[in-house]
Each structure stands twice: as C-alpha cells, then as structure tokens.
Amino acid sequence: MTQKPDQCLGEWIDREALAEAMIPLIGQLYRNNNVVTSIYGRGLINRSVIAILKAHRFARHRIADETELSVHDTFQILKTMSEMNLGAASVDLGKLVAKYKDAGNGRSLEQFVREELAEVADKRHAATGHKGTDVVLYGFGRIGRLLARILIEKTGGGDGLRLRAIVVRKGSDNDLVKRASLLRRDSVHGPFDGTITIDEANNTITANGNLIQVIYSNDPASVDYTQYGIENALLVDNTGKWRDAEGLGQHLKCPGVARVVLTAPGKGELKNIVHGINHGDITADDKIISAASCTTNAIVPVLKAVNDQYGIVNGHVETVHSYTNDQNLIDNFHKGSRRGRSAALNMVITETGAATAAAKALPVLKGKLTGNAIRVPTPNVSMAILNLNLEKATSRDEINEYLRQMAMHSDLQKQIDFVNSQEVVSTDFVGSRHAGVVDAEATICNDNRVVLYVWYDNEFGYSCQVVRVMEDMAGVNPPAFPR
C-alpha cells in the first residue's frame, strides 16, 4: 500500500521521539554501569538522534529479510536494561532483537532481555577492587592521537583504561598549544568530539574531563611517572623506534610503568598479538606485547576464517596502502628504496612484512604466503588483496555468504566487517572500527582459487584493535551480549 506524505512524516517523527528518549538511557547505562551499547557494531554512546536512526537503518544489511530494525524494540530493551542494575557489559541491541525473534519461544521481550543478561544483573559496582588502569602514550603522532580519542571516548565512569599522560620531545615554545590543536583538529578524521582546554603552567591537556599530563623527555628510561600520581601504568609506545624486548624494556625501568604495548610489529621473541586471533596468548607474565601492524590486523582475521572453512594451500597478499609520514612529500633523500620519491605524486612499490607477520599470529600459515605493497597517493584507508589457493573448491556466492555470517555471528565480528555494494570507495571506510572490511562485490572465485578484497582504515581501525589488546592486558574487557 502506498504511503501518504503525512503518514510517512508522522512515522518518522515517532521514530525520532523514541530515539531521543533512548539517548539518556544509553548515557546513564554507560556512565553509571559501564555498559557499552551498539547496533551491529555501530556504537550508540554520545550519538545524535539522526545517528541512532541511521544505525537502525544500517541494520537491514545484517538482517536476513533486510527489514529495518525497529526503534520500538531497541527502546524497550534499553528501558529493561536500565531497571536491572547491570554490571559492566557490551550489549549489541540489534543482535539481541535478532536473537529474540529466533529464540524468544513465546517470552515477552522484557523477559527475554532479563534472562539473556542475568549474568550481569545486579552487578553494578561489584567489589572487583579495580579502580581503572593508568595509560601513558609514549609518542603522539597519527596513532597516538587516535588512541587518545578512543580512550577518552571510552572513559565512562573511569573504571577502565584512563589516559593519564603523553610523552613527547618538545618541539617549540608553544608545543603544548600545538599538541592540543592536533588532537582537536584532524584533516582525515575530523574534529575532536568534545571539549579541550590546556594549562601551560602545569603542562596539562584536559579533554572531556580527562586530565592528561604532557611530559617532555628524550629518554624512555628517565621518567618518574609516580611524581604525577601514575602507578602500574600500561605504556603504549607509538614511536616505532624500539621494536625488541631490550629497547622497549627501557620503559619498564621507569617508576610507575608496569607493562608496555608496541604499536608496530615486534622483533625477536615478542608476541605479536592480533586481537580476535591470539589475544588469549597474553599472560600476566607478559610485560611487553606487540599489537602487530595495521595490515597484519586487517588480513589475519579473514585468513583465519577462510582457512578454518576451506584450508589455505598458499597465496599472495598485495597491499594497496595509503602513504605515511615515513615517506617524503616531494622527492628527497630517503634511506629506504623508492620511498624518497614524492608520496603525493607516485605509486610506490615497497616491501611489507605482513605476510610473514601473519604467521606469528596464526602459525598454521607459516611459509604459505608471500607479500608486497604499493603506497598510493591517498592519506588514509588501504586495501589488501588476498590471492589464495584453497584445499576445497567453492563459489563466489558461497564464500561471500560464509564471510557475511562470520562478520555477523562469529567470534571475529569485531575484526571482520562485510560490505555488498558496487558503489563504495576508500573514503567510505574512514572511521571503520573493524580490522578489515570484505568487499563482496569484488570477490573473484574459480573452483579452488579465490581473490578477496579487504578494505581497512589503517589508522583508526588499527587503533581500535590496539585498544582491544590494551583492555585485555588490563583485564577490563567486559562480557559481550548476546552470547
């Protein structure tokens, strides 16, 4: 039946009102209970009415009959959750609705939600002895500033990771002003979502209530963090200058630092962790961990999914990667091959260790992959092309549907996303929180040979993976629902 204009507008206003009523519930659950809500991976915290409604619309890509997710259902779930005195949790409202439709078994939506979340019911402010983990960012470049944004966004009630300090080399007399400005404004990722103030007398930046000490130092082993009230901190080295246990171990000599995360591939015996794949290998005895590279994080989850289902005989990984600060803006001397040529004017062939590094996170791939990279004149978002020979034959539709299901319902749903559109381009993936996004329309399949195209935000998506590793190391990764 054709809708009339007044009816169409009236339904929109009704949905707007419900989304508006959801906002305080989402905020209260987050700040008072440390409950993070989302819809098929799209976060709802601090979102506008329109953003919430767009998340509901987006959900049709994840629902079998492609119907739009009902705001009435998600509002009822939030209302029930707000009455349950919940402990810390991560709750996907879209997936809860889908599970209710499949397994409600005659229960009301309220009954279903109460039973589904019974594990964390009445657990608010449970005596865990945890008062948050201090975080220090050593280096404040592209990844450092994005980590800061994510950590500030996830502060909640202060029970998780708390950004306490950044350490940099002083660049100028107005260094603090410039550092704050770079956090506030970003040419790729847009403006900071919140307020930022600086105190030049005390060298601090306050961002959304987070008091961040700016420490100037040229020596990783010389800072006494305890003089700033920082204890047992998790330090994240974003410089890439030191990549082995000896170099990164300098941080552990500093009072106040307990553990170190490297945002680059580690050398020697360091564990290279890709969250979702081998984060279970992290133990309490591990003082230094590598979060591998952006490309390794993008490809390994997809490779694991494919290998589990079809088996990988061998393959080649070609990375089409945005240029980085390591390259020259215009032609000039560079110690690396080809990287001295202008990044803004050329495609530049260069090496990548991602294929080899993949085997560190997923040993079953050892010796099976080769890899190379092409740097291209875009500032962010890259693509990995996985050319694989499989043990089992498959079809384009079959492997696409399998990866779609992995993106929705598997343990890799935070790592793998899936898109099925002939119109997407690289800028559409700026801000993606997944490690990689499978482009279904680009998939090529011929018997047991398949070519997969995986987009990834090599800055923000990777930073989200780093934060997941940090949460595991700090023991502040809450249970996720639905189970």
Side-chain angles (χ1 to χ4, degrees):
M1 185 176 67
T2 304
Q3 280 189 319
K4 295 182 179 180
D6 287 349
Q7 179 189 2
C8 189
L9 180 60
E11 290 177 359
W12 172 259
I13 292 172
D14 178 50
R15 292 200 299 272
E16 269 191 320
L18 282 171
E20 201 167 66
M22 290 172 69
I23 291 174
L25 297 177
I26 292 166
Q28 289 161 18
L29 283 166
Y30 177 53
R31 277 174 280 279
N32 298 337
N33 304 78
N34 200 22
V35 173
V36 176
T37 50
S38 62
I39 291 177
Y40 286 102
R42 291 199 166 192
L44 299 179
I45 297 162
N46 294 328
R47 296 295 182 257
S48 67
V49 168
I50 296 300
I52 290 173
L53 291 175
K54 284 181 70 175
H56 283 76
R57 178 68 176 162
F58 162 81
R60 76 189 189 281
H61 298 298
R62 299 291 185 262
I63 298 173
D65 60 5
E66 295 191 352
T67 56
E68 188 166 327
L69 181 64
S70 168
V71 190
H72 294 270
D73 289 342
T74 53
F75 175 74
Q76 181 60 49
I77 290 174
L78 281 171
K79 189 171 182 296
T80 301
M81 289 169 57
S82 68
E83 298 166 355
M84 292 178 64
N85 201 31
L86 296 173
S90 176
V91 181
D92 193 306
L93 305 182
K95 292 178 181 178
L96 264 184
V97 171
K99 186 172 182 179
Y100 172 67
K101 289 181 177 180
D102 289 340
N105 297 326
R107 291 171 289 177
S108 69
L109 182 55
E110 180 179 349
Q111 287 174 321
F112 171 79
V113 171
R114 289 187 180 276
E115 291 177 25
E116 189 70 19
L117 303 181
E119 179 185 334
V120 289
D122 296 317
K123 295 289 180 66
R124 179 186 173 192
H125 300 316
T128 61
H130 203 286
K131 297 182 179 179
T133 299
D134 291 346
V135 174
V136 174
L137 298 178
Y138 196 92
F140 206 52
R142 297 300 301 156
I143 300 302
R145 293 194 296 275
L146 290 177
L147 287 176
R149 286 189 174 203
I150 296 168
L151 291 168
I152 292 164
E153 173 193 289
K154 293 169 70 73
T155 300
D159 299 326
L161 300 173
R162 298 189 64 180
L163 178 56
R164 296 292 311 279
I166 63 172
V167 184
V168 293
R169 291 178 295 180
K170 193 163 188 176
S172 65
D173 289 339
N174 60 344
D175 186 277
L176 189 69
V177 174
K178 287 183 174 293
R179 303 285 180 187
S181 180
L182 285 168
L183 179 60
R184 180 181 285 116
R185 305 173 181 89
D186 191 284
S187 301
V188 172
H189 300 280
F192 175 78
D193 190 11
T195 64
I196 293 176
T197 59
I198 62 172
D199 181 347
E200 292 187 86
N202 294 298
N203 282 334
T204 62
I205 297 173
T206 302
N208 291 359
N210 291 265
L211 184 66
I212 306 163
Q213 185 69 50
V214 179
I215 302 169
Y216 295 106
S217 176
N218 296 322
D219 179 7
S222 65
V223 182
D224 181 356
Y225 294 98
T226 60
Q227 67 176 307
Y228 305 104
I230 298 171
E231 300 280 356
N232 298 315
L234 179 59
L235 183 144
V236 186
D237 190 313
N238 305 294
T239 67
K241 186 174 181 179
W242 305 278
R243 296 194 178 189
D244 57 14
E246 181 181 359
L248 294 165
Q250 297 176 84
H251 294 300
L252 296 174
K253 297 176 183 178
C254 299
V257 174
R259 305 176 90 176
V260 177
V261 176
L262 168 66
T263 59
K267 296 181 179 180
E269 298 302 313
L270 284 187
K271 291 181 181 177
N272 283 255
I273 301 297
V274 174
H275 199 274
I277 301 298
N278 63 339
H279 60 276
D281 293 346
I282 302 173
T283 70
D285 294 330
D286 289 319
K287 301 301 181 185
I288 305 174
I289 288 291
S290 161
S293 71
C294 57
T295 302
T296 304
N297 274 267
I299 66 174
V300 169
V302 177
L303 290 169
K304 177 178 176 13
V306 172
N307 187 69
D308 286 349
Q309 184 74 0
Y310 300 102
I312 294 174
V313 177
N314 54 45
H316 177 77
V317 178
E318 193 70 33
T319 303
V320 183
H321 199 294
S322 295
Y323 57 70
T324 67
N325 271 330
D326 177 62
Q327 295 171 255
N328 289 332
L329 187 61
I330 57 174
D331 289 2
N332 205 351
F333 175 82
H334 194 293
K335 64 180 181 180
S337 301
R338 309 190 203 227
R339 293 197 184 193
R341 303 298 298 279
S342 170
L345 296 176
N346 295 290
M347 292 190 292
V348 180
I349 296 176
T350 186
E351 72 284 346
T352 177
T356 303
K360 285 190 173 184
L362 198 60
V364 69
L365 297 178
K366 187 174 182 180
K368 294 185 177 183
L369 299 174
T370 57
N372 215 354
I374 305 169
R375 296 289 179 91
V376 295
T378 55
N380 184 42
V381 179
S382 302
M383 171 182 281
I385 305 170
L386 312 180
N387 194 328
L388 307 173
N389 294 311
L390 308 178
E391 294 174 2
K392 300 178 184 177
T394 184
S395 68
R396 182 174 183 267
D397 288 345
E398 179 188 292
I399 196 167
N400 274 342
E401 176 58 22
Y402 169 67
L403 290 171
R404 187 179 80 89
Q405 292 297 325
M406 293 298 290
M408 287 192 300
H409 302 301
S410 77
D411 291 339
L412 295 172
Q413 59 189 276
K414 288 187 177 181
Q415 283 70 46
I416 301 175
D417 200 3
F418 184 91
V419 63
N420 191 4
S421 170
Q422 294 181 336
E423 299 298 334
V424 293
V425 294
S426 61
T427 54
D428 294 319
F429 302 98
V430 173
S432 170
R433 293 173 184 258
H434 290 81
V437 186
V438 176
D439 190 322
E441 285 292 330
T443 298
I444 300 170
C445 189
N446 183 6
D447 195 36
N448 69 330
R449 181 184 175 189
V450 65
V451 184
L452 299 172
Y453 290 75
V454 181
W455 299 98
Y456 58 107
D457 185 325
N458 48 279
E459 294 184 333
F460 196 80
Y462 173 66
S463 296
C464 289
Q465 280 286 90
V466 174
V467 170
R468 291 172 189 134
V469 171
M470 294 166 63
E471 288 174 333
D472 270 0
M473 291 186 74
V476 295
N477 215 338
F481 298 93
R483 294 300 200 185

